[in-house]
Amino acid sequence: MTSPHDPVPFEPNGETDSIDLLTAALRRDAADLEVYARVLTGTLAEALPPGAVAVERKRGLADRLAGRDGRVQRVEVFLGEQRLVLDLAGPHPKGEVAKEVRGVVLSRRPVALDEWVRELAVAVAARARSDTRARAALERLVLGE
């Protein structure tokens, strides 16, 4: 039996609600960009095929001495012909959505963090429809596990 307080599972077929749930989950830790970047890159790397997520980090001396990966500076997500870039190097995150075909960028547009997250949610939800591994990772993200 389910209660009204049980979390709603990620259902890619209930398109609008699922996109909204995924967007909220992807945005959940955005107030602390460092935590947000770690959660986002970990979830995406787990949900998407190898090579679909590129992460650029900056490692200071303290990071190297402590064996840490360093701070995420840039995240690029490649899904089909869409490339989503999130630049976290400056004081404010900068998003970009680009259309790329065979390595050639046909168009690019800067977007705010909220719109970038929404575009990412739509693209990843589409991927989850045909990939059970991606679906399982996204369910964990949405449910906060």
Side-chain angles (χ1 to χ4, degrees):
M1 297 271 319
T2 60
S3 77
H5 302 292
D6 287 342
V8 177
F10 179 72
E11 291 290 340
N13 295 331
E15 199 65 36
T16 304
D17 291 341
S18 295
I19 299 298
D20 291 341
L21 282 172
L22 182 54
T23 301
L26 288 169
R27 192 182 295 130
R28 182 175 28 227
D29 296 316
D32 182 344
L33 286 177
E34 194 166 334
V35 169
Y36 180 65
R38 279 196 310 263
V39 170
L40 182 66
T41 56
T43 301
L44 289 175
E46 187 178 334
L48 299 175
V53 180
V55 180
E56 184 179 307
R57 299 176 186 274
K58 181 178 181 183
R59 287 181 75 197
L61 179 60
D63 292 322
R64 286 191 289 275
L65 291 173
R68 293 186 299 245
D69 290 334
R71 188 179 176 130
V72 175
Q73 297 289 294
R74 182 179 174 95
V75 178
E76 289 189 58
V77 181
F78 304 93
L79 292 165
E81 293 182 346
Q82 190 171 35
R83 181 175 60 150
L84 298 148
V85 179
L86 184 60
D87 185 350
L88 299 167
H92 303 289
K94 296 177 194 154
E96 179 182 272
V97 177
K99 180 173 180 164
E100 185 175 308
V101 178
R102 289 185 227 113
V104 177
V105 177
L106 301 177
S107 67
R108 70 178 72 215
R109 66 184 164 91
V111 294
L113 179 61
D114 282 349
E115 185 176 346
W116 187 88
V117 169
R118 180 96 179 146
E119 292 276 344
L120 178 63
V122 169
V124 172
R127 172 79 186 182
R129 276 189 227 114
S130 63
D131 186 329
T132 55
R133 183 174 154 219
R135 182 184 169 106
L138 294 176
E139 283 178 352
R140 284 193 300 280
L141 174 67
V142 169
L143 299 175
E145 297 175 357

